[in-house]
Amino acid sequence: MPVKVSVIVPVYNPGPYIEDCVASLLRQSLPPDAYEVIFVDDGSTDGTPARLDALAAEHPHVRVIHQENSGWSGKPRNVGIAASRGEYVMFVDNDDYLGDEALERMYDYGVAHGADVVVGKMAGKGRPVPVELFRVNRPRATVENAPLIDSLTPHKMFRRAFLDRIGLRFPEGRRRLEDHVFVTEAYLRADNVSVLSDYVCYYHVRRDDASNAGFQRFDPAGYFKNLREALDVVERYTEPGPLRDRLLRRWLRNEIVERMRGRRLLALPVDYRRELFDEMHTVVVERFGPGVAAGLQPAQRIVAALIAEGRFDDVVALARWEAALRPAARPERVEWRGGTLHVGFAAELTVDGAPLRAPAEPGTVSFDTPPHDVAEAADLLGADAAARLAQARVDLLVRERSSAAQFFQPADFTREKVPAGDGRVRLVLRAAATVDPAAAAGGVPLWGGLWDVFVRVRLGSWTQECRLGPAPRQDRPAPYAGVVGGHVVLPYWTARQGTLALDVDRAGKSLGLGRVRPQDVTVAGERLRVPLPLHVPGDTKALLRLTGPAAPLEVSGTLSADGTGAVLQAALPPAGLTGAPRHPELGLAPDTAEPRFLPLPFLLHRSGSRVRVSRPPRPGVLRRLAGRARRVLGGIRRRAAAAAGSRHGRRA
């Protein structure tokens, strides 16, 4: 079979962090003869070379190339391209990993749309990744109609013939931003770029030791020299004008302005802040015309202007003010309706924990000249947020805790100005979002795990995220778990922060089944009826297992909506309840490969022609009975031992 995809992995001393990468590459849904994995070991000095050689000996579709250390990832990737045989090449870093179906989905999507570049949805585990780019699938994306320029890491799929046709390779040597140069040119010269957003293809991982190359402190002079090379690519393949300015804006915003804002700047050593600032000042004055900064958000425009004017102290002062600005999202409603979770909340920005206050009538706000001080900057930015309230938006996302895979959920919202006194207002976004567990993960069901609920607020100059909550303990909505689409979904509030999360297929005692009272359970003839604290959208299959001294019995049951909860109904086996009492256990997802059974707090046993429901012995009672049995058995053993000793003495 022709090789569809060549996965190229540059490797240098990854230690155990390569194991998740290896495992994900071996788990791919593509047949092994349809893809190859090329590890290019860039002079590793740990046990990695031997580990990779053993891997290649075991798996025919895995190859290893060893070379002397080149200093960065550019040369290993180029060596991998030269050795590849696939129609597409996919670049993966040795401490990241792929979704199990990533290669198959990205390849099929690329072929279907004739793409030279395929960008797969990313999830950041401790690392930032683009969000807006992956809001929807984009089969025909360009730098003009999509925020492609926000994603410049190399972790994408490229048609190998396209790379050969235009002669595109990574810059080599000990340097930074080689991926920016490569990916930018690919975007600008590709016949088509396709963005796949309904499946998480790539997991971008921050290592526990924070030793990823991108997290290392860099030499400012060298870094911004390499940044200029990326700007050169944009200028080479675009004409002067709005598009070029918009593309160049990405580097002014991400690599310069955002490094000089808020907590990110304040986390840097003081001397290093100044060193960075001085290099940035040179680049801003030298390379970015007025049209580039003009398209930034106002807070970014202010920082860019302060950098251009060399006002370092004012940049630091503004960073301190912005570091205190955070979003807050207050839950107002969480309830099930027909198998869909409806979430109502209000969101706004706060400064030092107090709501951001803005002029009720801001008038015209101008940023043509930078403010004189931080107080003036704060007033301007608040007024701008109020003036542009009509463009504000809020989104609800669910993010799986272990993988960081996240998905937007449908939400309607309104924008409000709430009087705050002295002619000022709070800017509040009220939203009604829906989470359909059967389709919330990009059109497919949420998978088993813990999902945190996030709110994304875009207001004025800021786009920020926070968890939904905290909710005051006395006012927290407390919906039952829902049995939806073959999964058990429990909305709950985290113990420490009081924020909303979803437990999918993991909860046991917290489902509340232990609150069922035996006196509410009825058996009419052989028909069992149990009221349960669950939500079901309609008749839903369940499985009842009856355990006891004899072999377990399993019977099919049905969950039906009953007021605010559900009722379980099942036909009991006529001959299955004789002898010792049976303990019922409930399987809420019977069609899974290994159904999970949860105990119900009552016993069933037949008495004459009737089936009776009784309360199981309390644990304290069981412990006392067990203790009494141990004492009785101990007494029997002691008497037996004494009798045996007496007989032995008589024989002697």
Side-chain angles (χ1 to χ4, degrees), residues 148-409:
L148 285 175
I149 204 67
D150 289 348
S151 180
L152 293 182
T153 64
H155 314 120
K156 299 162 179 62
M157 196 174 278
F158 300 85
R159 190 187 300 275
R160 188 164 57 97
F162 161 69
L163 299 181
D164 291 341
R165 174 170 57 82
I166 68 172
L168 183 58
R169 294 296 186 268
F170 288 90
E172 297 184 2
R174 189 175 294 277
R175 53 161 296 130
R176 293 275 182 164
L177 303 179
E178 82 293 338
D179 46 357
H180 288 206
V181 174
F182 181 92
V183 175
T184 300
E185 183 169 344
Y187 285 159
L188 292 173
R189 302 185 69 183
D191 289 336
N192 184 41
V193 180
S194 294
V195 181
L196 178 65
S197 301
D198 58 8
Y199 178 80
V200 179
C201 299
Y202 197 92
Y203 292 87
H204 205 22
V205 180
R206 176 170 182 155
R207 286 164 53 155
D208 294 336
D209 59 3
S211 63
N212 309 74
F215 284 101
Q216 303 307 301
R217 179 166 162 170
F218 57 79
D219 166 56
Y223 187 88
F224 290 105
K225 176 185 176 183
N226 296 150
L227 182 145
R228 289 176 174 90
E229 296 174 32
L231 306 183
D232 291 340
V233 172
V234 173
E235 293 178 354
R236 186 180 308 127
Y237 294 106
T238 63
E239 296 296 327
L243 175 61
R244 176 185 287 185
D245 287 345
R246 181 154 62 84
L247 297 180
L248 294 178
R249 193 172 299 135
R250 183 258 176 238
W251 285 272
L252 175 59
R253 180 184 65 240
N254 291 34
E255 307 303 328
I256 295 178
V257 169
E258 288 301 316
R259 293 180 186 275
M260 291 284 114
R261 291 182 69 188
R263 290 183 292 276
R264 187 171 181 185
L265 173 62
L266 300 180
L268 299 176
V270 175
D271 58 339
Y272 187 54
R273 297 178 198 169
R274 184 76 209 211
E275 188 179 358
L276 273 177
F277 180 89
D278 290 341
E279 289 293 334
M280 291 174 175
H281 169 72
T282 301
V283 176
V284 169
V285 172
E286 171 192 312
R287 297 299 297 262
F288 298 110
V292 179
L296 294 172
Q297 291 290 343
Q300 296 168 338
R301 287 183 65 183
I302 291 174
V303 175
L306 295 176
I307 294 172
E309 293 188 357
R311 293 167 58 180
F312 174 72
D313 291 340
D314 286 335
V315 166
V316 175
L318 182 57
R320 291 196 177 99
W321 181 81
E322 283 202 286
L325 187 141
R326 303 188 182 196
R330 183 179 66 256
E332 297 178 336
R333 182 182 70 259
V334 182
E335 61 187 11
W336 290 103
R337 298 181 201 164
T340 300
L341 192 66
H342 289 246
V343 181
F345 61 94
E348 62 185 313
L349 295 179
T350 65
V351 180
D352 284 327
L356 175 71
R357 299 166 73 238
E361 300 295 335
T364 302
V365 185
S366 173
F367 293 91
D368 292 338
T369 58
H372 293 93
D373 54 30
V374 173
E376 183 182 348
D379 287 342
L380 280 171
L381 293 172
D384 171 71
R388 295 195 293 144
L389 184 60
Q391 285 80 52
R393 72 168 295 141
V394 63
D395 288 291
L396 187 105
L397 302 94
V398 293
R399 182 179 301 166
E400 204 271 320
R401 194 174 296 174
S402 65
S403 69
Q406 66 179 9
F407 301 91
F408 285 95
Q409 305 302 304

Side-chain angles (χ1 to χ4, degrees), residues 131-133 135 138 147 150 297-298 300 325-329 345 347-349 356 381 384-397 408 413-416 427-431 454-466:
V131 175
E132 292 298 328
L133 177 61
R135 186 180 284 272
R138 305 175 192 266
D150 289 348
Q297 291 290 343
Q300 296 168 338
L325 187 141
R326 303 188 182 196
F345 61 94
E348 62 185 313
L349 295 179
L356 175 71
L381 293 172
D384 171 71
R388 295 195 293 144
L389 184 60
Q391 285 80 52
R393 72 168 295 141
V394 63
D395 288 291
L396 187 105
L397 302 94
F408 285 95
F413 59 90
T414 59
R415 308 170 181 94
E416 301 178 12
L427 307 175
V428 179
L429 304 174
R430 296 192 185 278
F454 280 82
V455 172
R456 184 176 175 84
V457 178
R458 189 170 73 196
L459 176 62
S461 287
W462 304 282
T463 299
Q464 295 192 9
E465 288 183 357
C466 65

Side-chain angles (χ1 to χ4, degrees), residues 480 483 511-524 526-536 540 542-546 555-572 577 582-588 598-604 611-614:
Y480 293 147
V483 184
L511 291 178
L513 300 182
R515 297 196 299 267
V516 174
R517 302 186 308 173
Q519 58 265 37
D520 295 331
V521 179
T522 59
V523 181
E526 305 296 328
R527 193 80 182 169
L528 175 70
R529 187 181 188 278
V530 185
L532 296 170
L534 297 170
H535 169 81
V536 291
T540 302
L543 195 59
L544 191 67
R545 184 167 67 184
L546 304 173
V555 296
S556 297
T558 301
L559 293 167
S560 303
D562 183 40
T564 60
V567 61
L568 168 70
Q569 298 189 70
L572 298 174
L577 297 175
R582 293 276 187 163
H583 195 161
E585 297 177 343
L586 181 61
L588 294 171
L598 302 170
L600 295 174
F602 57 88
L603 298 174
L604 297 173
V611 175
R612 297 189 179 275
V613 180
S614 63

